[in-house]
Amino acid sequence: MTNDLMLDTATAGLPSQVVRRMILSEPDITGALRLMPRLPHMGGRTYLLGDASGRIAGVEVSPKAGVRILGDDGPLFHTNHALLSQTKAVENPALLQQVYPSTYDRYTSLAGAAGSLNSVADAMRVLRNRAGAPNAVAKSYSREEATETACSIVCDPAAGVMHVCLGLPRVGAFVAHSLASNGTVRRRSGPISPVARADTQQTLLQVHARSLRNPREVRPGSRSRFLRG
């Protein structure tokens, strides 16, 4: 899982989409952390990593700061601002305020839930948090910040299950998928509920309508992620 960071950029290197595919080819976090410093990163990014053993790690990267490890113990929280001194040193505060002004509020909400996270259900509850809406963990569009939660994911690596909710998460909207050892994903639970389907369709229609009005207004969706072993 990744988040945007408003850090320095480079004109040569690998975009995050390629980096993700290379990370996924590694068997575990040890391999991923060995690989990442060898890659030429084009921009700022946070990666939250997990493997089948239940181990997790958080990494912030930038062309100048390199690969910086947040930690390998949980829980770890991240939104869209840098947390480490090395990456903060190359952060663009003006751009961060322009693109993700809600990042600090969303981080506070996530971190405030640390003491109550003991299960997958707890993680889903946190990702549904609408406190401070529209600039909430479950982010909806606002004139201040033209982003919204497109998808919420809770991974349980040790159990081999990924729970996915399209659109703003609501009760019963998460769908469980099995993570096979060969990398394939298979839905475990039944069909998507009418509530979840309607919520997803409404989200897509709203994003499409705004993109037609002002293509520059729609930016990559707010990605408040939770990953815990």
Side-chain angles (χ1 to χ4, degrees), residues 73-142:
D73 192 14
L76 298 174
F77 301 96
H78 214 290
T79 50
N80 296 105
H81 59 278
L83 299 180
L84 299 175
S85 59
Q86 299 93 333
T87 44
K88 283 183 179 180
V90 293
E91 190 166 51
N92 186 331
L95 184 60
L96 177 63
Q97 180 60 31
Q98 177 185 347
V99 179
Y100 295 115
S102 71
T103 180
Y104 293 103
D105 289 339
R106 288 184 283 117
Y107 180 83
T108 298
S109 294
L110 287 172
S116 61
L117 290 172
N118 300 299
S119 66
V120 167
D122 290 337
M124 292 178 180
R125 172 181 49 78
V126 170
L127 290 177
R128 292 187 182 107
N129 187 354
R130 293 284 291 158
N135 295 332
V137 173
K139 175 76 171 61
S140 53
Y141 172 85
S142 68

Side-chain angles (χ1 to χ4, degrees), residues 29-47:
I29 285 181
T30 300
L33 294 179
R34 187 183 302 117
L35 168 71
M36 293 182 71
R38 303 202 300 263
L39 302 178
H41 300 274
M42 291 188 71
R45 206 79 186 176
T46 299
Y47 295 86

Side-chain angles (χ1 to χ4, degrees), residues 84-225:
L84 299 175
S85 59
Q86 299 93 333
T87 44
K88 283 183 179 180
V90 293
E91 190 166 51
N92 186 331
L95 184 60
L96 177 63
Q97 180 60 31
Q98 177 185 347
V99 179
Y100 295 115
S102 71
T103 180
Y104 293 103
D105 289 339
R106 288 184 283 117
Y107 180 83
T108 298
S109 294
L110 287 172
S116 61
L117 290 172
N118 300 299
S119 66
V120 167
D122 290 337
M124 292 178 180
R125 172 181 49 78
V126 170
L127 290 177
R128 292 187 182 107
N129 187 354
R130 293 284 291 158
N135 295 332
V137 173
K139 175 76 171 61
S140 53
Y141 172 85
S142 68
R143 294 185 63 85
E144 177 189 24
E145 182 176 333
T147 67
E148 55 194 3
T149 299
C151 180
S152 296
I153 300 173
V154 178
C155 288
D156 189 350
V161 180
M162 177 173 64
H163 305 268
V164 180
C165 172
L166 298 178
L168 289 174
R170 295 182 179 180
V171 175
F174 281 91
V175 178
H177 299 263
S178 295
L179 301 175
S181 58
N182 62 2
T184 59
V185 179
R186 178 173 56 86
R187 179 182 292 177
R188 294 183 59 183
S189 53
I192 298 176
S193 70
V195 172
R197 182 179 292 108
D199 183 49
T200 302
Q201 291 174 343
Q202 182 64 25
T203 298
L204 295 175
L205 287 172
Q206 290 172 350
V207 171
H208 179 64
R210 284 195 294 275
S211 65
L212 292 177
R213 290 199 304 268
N214 185 359
R216 294 184 179 181
E217 193 176 51
V218 179
R219 300 187 178 94
S222 168
R223 288 181 288 275
S224 300
R225 305 295 195 204

